[in-house]
Amino acid sequence: MKALQYREIGAEPEVVEVETPEPGPGQVRLKVTAAGACHSDSFIMGLPADQYGWGLPLTLGHEGVGVVDKLGDGVTGLALGESVAVYGPQGCGRCYQCAQGKENYCPRAAELGIAPPGLGAPGSMAEYMLVPDARHLLPIGDLDPVANVALTDAGLTPYHAIKMSLPKLVPGSTAVVIGAGGLGHVAIQMLRALTPAMVIALDVSVEKLKLATEVGAHHVFPSDGESAERVRELTHGRGATAVFDFVAIQPTLDASHDMVAVEGDVVLVGVGAGTLPSGLLAAPYDSVVRAPYWGSRSELFEVFDLSRAGLVHVETEVFSLDDAPEAYRRLHEGTLRGRAIVVP
Ligand code: NAD
Ligand code: ZN
Ligand code: ZN
């Protein structure tokens, strides 16, 4: 089968021919119907050898939807041909976090060698993929795979990030989204669907600001040294009740810190390696900084239900598997509208 692999540090990923995997006991083979390209893939492919820890060659793709194609011994409860989405941040399935469906926070996954597809294990940018356990598969029924595959990360991650701040996002509150890309443009829609907050989007690209407006942002501004001041002005000095930073480099963290309100949340989702001061005199009283990772299994059901209800959609640009390297080029350049989806 064909697969898109990252094979050499610093090189572009390549489409190569690899053996079609056979499901072992307990495993499920999917025929992939859609896979999404995330900035995190670009991020890890940009790391030098001494910081890269996901194995080579790596079949990319941690957003995946497919149809059940072959069942390993002992797998029950799944029908061949069923359309399913893959829950990526897989855990041990036995610990306290996993018992709550929060496999994204499984403290044992690393020590047990469990890695998400496309981030250690072979991913979804291939004609077929193996999933180690049927519990990682959510039935998606007749939802369109291409339109919905990115919800497994670009939907689930902002949903989880926003959900924790919902009690604060009351009438009169303000939510700021920094970075209206793959995750950010979904975050804006979720904030509109789930809260009465005023939503402000910041980005460095005019095109992305246009997209932010189209998907529901009340106000958009360029992300620059004036961002915090503009947010303070719009909120009559109060600042942002919650800032969702999908970039999290030092300049956006500084802006987040300067715009957050008393008792507000700064939620760092981007992998940028900035840092923030904390302490009684260093930040607004009782403001909170969180850095959530991906989301829980039950939250993924909720995200698909938001799509079914027509409250959230993903803007997509579609590429064939042969053209997948181009999808990553466009992601790297920052010229995609929404998410790049690869259809094997
Ligand atoms: P993306 O490339 O689709 O979007 C990033 C957006 O940020 C683009 O619109 C870009 O124009 C904008 N941007 C760049 N610099 C900016 C700046 N200085 N100010 C404001 N906007 C700026 O990326 P994505 O796939 O949506 O991922 C977003 C981030 O989230 C990445 O860092 C990714 O690695 C991370 N991520 C984290 C998790 C998690 O679990 N925490 C999960 C998925 C992705
Ligand atoms: Zn991702
Ligand atoms: Zn666990």
Side-chain angles (χ1 to χ4, degrees):
M1 68 166 186
K2 280 187 200 169
L4 180 75
Q5 290 194 329
Y6 181 52
R7 298 178 65 84
E8 196 190 321
I9 298 294
E12 281 202 343
E14 294 173 58
V15 181
V16 293
E17 195 65 34
V18 298
E19 214 154 301
T20 303
E22 281 300 316
Q27 297 182 330
V28 179
R29 185 170 75 192
L30 302 183
K31 184 166 183 5
V32 177
T33 47
C38 179
H39 200 104
S40 300
D41 303 332
S42 277
F43 172 77
I44 67 168
M45 289 191 282
L47 291 172
D50 61 340
Q51 289 171 35
Y52 178 82
W54 292 268
L56 291 174
L58 173 68
T59 298
L60 293 166
H62 56 269
E63 294 178 341
V65 165
V67 292
V68 177
D69 177 66
K70 192 170 181 186
L71 303 178
D73 283 348
V75 180
T76 55
L78 279 174
L80 292 179
E82 193 177 345
S83 183
V84 289
V86 181
Y87 174 75
Q90 302 161 8
C92 72
R94 302 178 60 99
C95 71
Y96 182 67
Q97 276 75 16
C98 286
Q100 299 171 83
K102 297 181 192 168
E103 300 207 18
N104 51 321
Y105 293 148
C106 175
R108 300 184 64 220
E111 95 199 32
L112 294 172
I114 301 168
L119 292 167
S124 55
M125 298 246 171
E127 291 174 88
Y128 296 88
M129 72 183 290
L130 290 184
V131 177
D133 193 294
R135 79 171 186 280
H136 305 313
L137 298 172
L138 264 77
I140 64 163
D142 57 6
L143 281 183
D144 177 33
V146 174
N148 288 279
V149 62
L151 294 178
T152 56
D153 176 20
L156 179 57
T157 301
Y159 184 72
H160 176 61
I162 290 166
K163 207 174 166 186
M164 300 284 295
S165 297
L166 284 181
K168 296 185 183 181
L169 293 172
V170 296
S173 65
T174 300
V176 175
V177 170
I178 303 182
L183 274 65
H185 88 289
V186 180
I188 292 165
Q189 297 171 63
M190 289 174 166
L191 286 162
R192 290 302 314 273
L194 301 172
T195 82
M198 173 167 75
V199 178
I200 303 173
L202 308 173
D203 205 295
V204 289
S205 147
V206 175
E207 293 305 316
K208 311 277 183 153
L209 290 178
K210 222 184 274 174
L211 173 61
T213 304
E214 285 166 27
V215 297
H218 295 105
H219 301 276
V220 299
F221 296 120
S223 174
D224 58 24
E226 326 261 277
S227 305
E229 216 168 298
R230 291 199 185 97
V231 169
R232 292 249 171 231
E233 255 168 45
L234 258 180
T235 55
H236 311 290
R238 284 170 69 184
T241 317
V243 185
F244 301 94
D245 187 345
F246 293 96
V247 185
I249 55 176
Q250 197 57 51
T252 63
L253 287 193
D254 290 343
S256 302
H257 177 260
D258 291 346
M259 70 177 70
V260 71
V262 166
E263 290 187 286
D265 289 348
V266 174
V267 186
L268 309 179
V269 182
V271 289
T275 56
L276 275 177
S278 69
L280 192 56
L281 303 179
Y285 291 142
D286 227 348
S287 57
V288 175
V289 178
R290 293 190 295 112
Y293 170 67
W294 222 326
S296 72
R297 279 170 58 203
S298 56
E299 285 169 341
L300 187 54
F301 280 86
E302 294 165 22
V303 169
F304 278 107
D305 281 333
L306 275 175
S307 170
R308 276 191 196 94
L311 293 168
V312 164
H313 75 280
V314 182
E315 292 287 325
T316 58
E317 292 201 39
V318 181
F319 297 81
S320 67
L321 189 51
D322 286 327
D323 288 338
E326 176 63 9
Y328 280 100
R329 259 172 245 138
R330 295 274 312 285
L331 179 62
H332 185 71
E333 282 168 17
T335 56
L336 288 167
R337 180 183 162 89
R339 205 61 154 175
I341 307 301
V342 171
V343 179

